[in-house]
Amino acid sequence: MRILLTGASGQLGHAVRRVFSRHEVVARAHTALDVADVSGVEAALDETRPDLLLNAAAYTAVDRAEDEPEAAYRANREGPRALAVATARRGIPLLHVSTDYVFDGEKGTPYVESDATHPLGVYGTSKLAGEDEVRRANSRHFIVRTAWLYGPVGRNFALTLAAVAAREPKLRVVDDQWGSPTYAPHLAAALERLVESEAWGTHHLVNAGVTSRCEFARALLRALGSATPLEPIPTSAWPTRARRPRNTALASERDTGIALRDWREGVRDFAAAFSGGTVLPV
Ligand SMILES: NC(=O)c1ccc[n+]([C@@H]2O[C@H](COP(=O)([O-])OP(=O)(O)OC[C@H]3O[C@@H](n4cnc5c(N)ncnc54)[C@H](OP(=O)(O)O)[C@@H]3O)[C@@H](O)[C@H]2O)c1
């Protein structure tokens, strides 16, 4: 297949370019294609004639979104709408990536695909609106919800933690937020298998297992060989502009046979790929 990849310079876009090996990936970074630009999207599809479009583009600044909802909705709702309409018109399937933040985190057990959504902030609400646009416009869609994404390239919790641990004597990390840390290259490998199927609809794809932010941080530091001590703190001691859901562990009720390995294996692979504290630009 020829796959048109949007948002190609983000951390997931980067992983897709590195990991996909069985298909031709035609990459379009934000600078080359704005997914909310309808005529730009149409032109890119006509020029590249892909068999599938994979949308890794998104506005992902969870706190900033509270102050600039127009920008969040532009990338997260208008973008997916433009992509879904244009691909449907050409008979092309669309894989769109979404987030655990469509849930409020109050369920108490892992969320499956059919659970009711209830986002807490602008980011999650705009991402849910994007899902709805995709469902409405293109029946041959995959909507993949993932969570706590990190990898050796980009802006993410793991790279920030590594950088801060290298310069601070002690770290404070919240211990009452739970979720499914997901290593971007593992997700990319699962996406390559998914696009080879016709399992249309919504999928939860995360590394297996559940952990807290603090436990995740502890595992990362251990794998990176850092001795910087960690102090677990409650969310109330780390106020943020956007409210974070308490527990968004994800599980799947789909029977595709596509499952990611345990989150600790993601941490191990991250440590092996880590390039010594350099936060690489995306
Ligand atoms: N990061 C997480 O923890 C996480 C968790 C769950 C789900 N997800 C989802 O996973 C997907 C990939 O996220 P990521 O972590 O790879 O995000 P990322 O590193 O922020 O990458 C997103 C990319 O999209 C680009 N972009 C923004 N607006 C665009 C537009 N209008 N048109 C084209 N490109 C645009 C960004 O470019 P600029 O930098 O120039 O804006 C950036 O290169 C997203 O759908 C996200 O919602 C992420």
PDB file of all heavy atoms in Angstrom, residues 207-219:
ATOM      1  N   ASN A 207       0.122  -0.023  25.313  1.00  0.00           N
ATOM      2  CA  ASN A 207       0.913  -1.087  25.926  1.00  0.00           C
ATOM      3  C   ASN A 207       0.089  -1.700  27.064  1.00  0.00           C
ATOM      4  O   ASN A 207      -0.652  -0.986  27.756  1.00  0.00           O
ATOM      5  CB  ASN A 207       2.235  -0.552  26.464  1.00  0.00           C
ATOM      6  CG  ASN A 207       3.322  -0.469  25.385  1.00  0.00           C
ATOM      7  OD1 ASN A 207       3.833   0.611  25.090  1.00  0.00           O
ATOM      8  ND2 ASN A 207       3.691  -1.592  24.791  1.00  0.00           N
ATOM      9  N   ALA A 208       0.231  -3.006  27.271  1.00  0.00           N
ATOM     10  CA  ALA A 208      -0.583  -3.711  28.261  1.00  0.00           C
ATOM     11  C   ALA A 208      -0.200  -3.301  29.685  1.00  0.00           C
ATOM     12  O   ALA A 208       0.957  -2.947  29.953  1.00  0.00           O
ATOM     13  CB  ALA A 208      -0.395  -5.218  28.089  1.00  0.00           C
ATOM     14  N   GLY A 209      -1.178  -3.358  30.589  1.00  0.00           N
ATOM     15  CA  GLY A 209      -0.916  -3.057  31.990  1.00  0.00           C
ATOM     16  C   GLY A 209      -1.316  -1.637  32.347  1.00  0.00           C
ATOM     17  O   GLY A 209      -1.605  -0.819  31.472  1.00  0.00           O
ATOM     18  N   VAL A 210      -1.327  -1.386  33.633  1.00  0.00           N
ATOM     19  CA  VAL A 210      -1.754  -0.087  34.163  1.00  0.00           C
ATOM     20  C   VAL A 210      -0.734   0.346  35.197  1.00  0.00           C
ATOM     21  O   VAL A 210      -0.218  -0.494  35.953  1.00  0.00           O
ATOM     22  CB  VAL A 210      -3.124  -0.227  34.874  1.00  0.00           C
ATOM     23  CG1 VAL A 210      -3.601   1.121  35.385  1.00  0.00           C
ATOM     24  CG2 VAL A 210      -4.154  -0.856  33.950  1.00  0.00           C
ATOM     25  N   THR A 211      -0.442   1.635  35.238  1.00  0.00           N
ATOM     26  CA  THR A 211       0.474   2.114  36.280  1.00  0.00           C
ATOM     27  C   THR A 211       0.160   3.566  36.618  1.00  0.00           C
ATOM     28  O   THR A 211      -0.643   4.204  35.940  1.00  0.00           O
ATOM     29  CB  THR A 211       1.947   1.944  35.834  1.00  0.00           C
ATOM     30  OG1 THR A 211       2.793   2.192  36.953  1.00  0.00           O
ATOM     31  CG2 THR A 211       2.310   2.896  34.720  1.00  0.00           C
ATOM     32  N   SER A 212       0.788   4.059  37.665  1.00  0.00           N
ATOM     33  CA  SER A 212       0.607   5.477  38.014  1.00  0.00           C
ATOM     34  C   SER A 212       1.723   6.283  37.365  1.00  0.00           C
ATOM     35  O   SER A 212       2.764   5.742  36.985  1.00  0.00           O
ATOM     36  CB  SER A 212       0.657   5.668  39.531  1.00  0.00           C
ATOM     37  OG  SER A 212       1.992   5.525  39.985  1.00  0.00           O
ATOM     38  N   ARG A 213       1.513   7.596  37.263  1.00  0.00           N
ATOM     39  CA  ARG A 213       2.549   8.490  36.725  1.00  0.00           C
ATOM     40  C   ARG A 213       3.866   8.285  37.471  1.00  0.00           C
ATOM     41  O   ARG A 213       4.935   8.219  36.874  1.00  0.00           O
ATOM     42  CB  ARG A 213       2.137   9.943  36.916  1.00  0.00           C
ATOM     43  CG  ARG A 213       1.193  10.463  35.911  1.00  0.00           C
ATOM     44  CD  ARG A 213       1.903  11.069  34.705  1.00  0.00           C
ATOM     45  NE  ARG A 213       0.902  11.422  33.720  1.00  0.00           N
ATOM     46  CZ  ARG A 213       1.097  11.396  32.415  1.00  0.00           C
ATOM     47  NH1 ARG A 213       2.261  11.040  31.909  1.00  0.00           N
ATOM     48  NH2 ARG A 213       0.133  11.719  31.596  1.00  0.00           N
ATOM     49  N   CYS A 214       3.769   8.198  38.807  1.00  0.00           N
ATOM     50  CA  CYS A 214       4.982   8.114  39.611  1.00  0.00           C
ATOM     51  C   CYS A 214       5.700   6.782  39.392  1.00  0.00           C
ATOM     52  O   CYS A 214       6.925   6.740  39.276  1.00  0.00           O
ATOM     53  CB  CYS A 214       4.630   8.315  41.080  1.00  0.00           C
ATOM     54  SG  CYS A 214       6.074   8.547  42.103  1.00  0.00           S
ATOM     55  N   GLU A 215       4.930   5.710  39.327  1.00  0.00           N
ATOM     56  CA  GLU A 215       5.534   4.389  39.115  1.00  0.00           C
ATOM     57  C   GLU A 215       6.161   4.311  37.727  1.00  0.00           C
ATOM     58  O   GLU A 215       7.236   3.726  37.539  1.00  0.00           O
ATOM     59  CB  GLU A 215       4.457   3.311  39.303  1.00  0.00           C
ATOM     60  CG  GLU A 215       5.005   1.918  39.577  1.00  0.00           C
ATOM     61  CD  GLU A 215       6.117   1.889  40.626  1.00  0.00           C
ATOM     62  OE1 GLU A 215       5.955   2.481  41.724  1.00  0.00           O
ATOM     63  OE2 GLU A 215       7.173   1.297  40.330  1.00  0.00           O
ATOM     64  N   PHE A 216       5.500   4.936  36.747  1.00  0.00           N
ATOM     65  CA  PHE A 216       6.037   5.016  35.385  1.00  0.00           C
ATOM     66  C   PHE A 216       7.381   5.767  35.426  1.00  0.00           C
ATOM     67  O   PHE A 216       8.385   5.319  34.855  1.00  0.00           O
ATOM     68  CB  PHE A 216       5.010   5.725  34.500  1.00  0.00           C
ATOM     69  CG  PHE A 216       5.412   5.980  33.081  1.00  0.00           C
ATOM     70  CD1 PHE A 216       6.142   5.044  32.346  1.00  0.00           C
ATOM     71  CD2 PHE A 216       5.016   7.160  32.439  1.00  0.00           C
ATOM     72  CE1 PHE A 216       6.497   5.302  31.013  1.00  0.00           C
ATOM     73  CE2 PHE A 216       5.361   7.409  31.121  1.00  0.00           C
ATOM     74  CZ  PHE A 216       6.108   6.490  30.406  1.00  0.00           C
ATOM     75  N   ALA A 217       7.393   6.895  36.139  1.00  0.00           N
ATOM     76  CA  ALA A 217       8.620   7.690  36.245  1.00  0.00           C
ATOM     77  C   ALA A 217       9.735   6.876  36.911  1.00  0.00           C
ATOM     78  O   ALA A 217      10.893   6.897  36.479  1.00  0.00           O
ATOM     79  CB  ALA A 217       8.347   8.964  37.041  1.00  0.00           C
ATOM     80  N   ARG A 218       9.361   6.138  37.957  1.00  0.00           N
ATOM     81  CA  ARG A 218      10.350   5.332  38.677  1.00  0.00           C
ATOM     82  C   ARG A 218      10.966   4.283  37.743  1.00  0.00           C
ATOM     83  O   ARG A 218      12.181   4.091  37.705  1.00  0.00           O
ATOM     84  CB  ARG A 218       9.656   4.627  39.862  1.00  0.00           C
ATOM     85  CG  ARG A 218      10.565   4.355  41.044  1.00  0.00           C
ATOM     86  CD  ARG A 218       9.848   3.576  42.146  1.00  0.00           C
ATOM     87  NE  ARG A 218       8.680   4.258  42.712  1.00  0.00           N
ATOM     88  CZ  ARG A 218       8.732   5.269  43.579  1.00  0.00           C
ATOM     89  NH1 ARG A 218       9.893   5.729  43.979  1.00  0.00           N
ATOM     90  NH2 ARG A 218       7.627   5.826  44.041  1.00  0.00           N
ATOM     91  N   ALA A 219      10.115   3.639  36.945  1.00  0.00           N
ATOM     92  CA  ALA A 219      10.604   2.614  36.004  1.00  0.00           C
ATOM     93  C   ALA A 219      11.510   3.240  34.946  1.00  0.00           C
ATOM     94  O   ALA A 219      12.539   2.658  34.567  1.00  0.00           O
ATOM     95  CB  ALA A 219       9.415   1.899  35.349  1.00  0.00           C
TER      96      ALA A 219
END
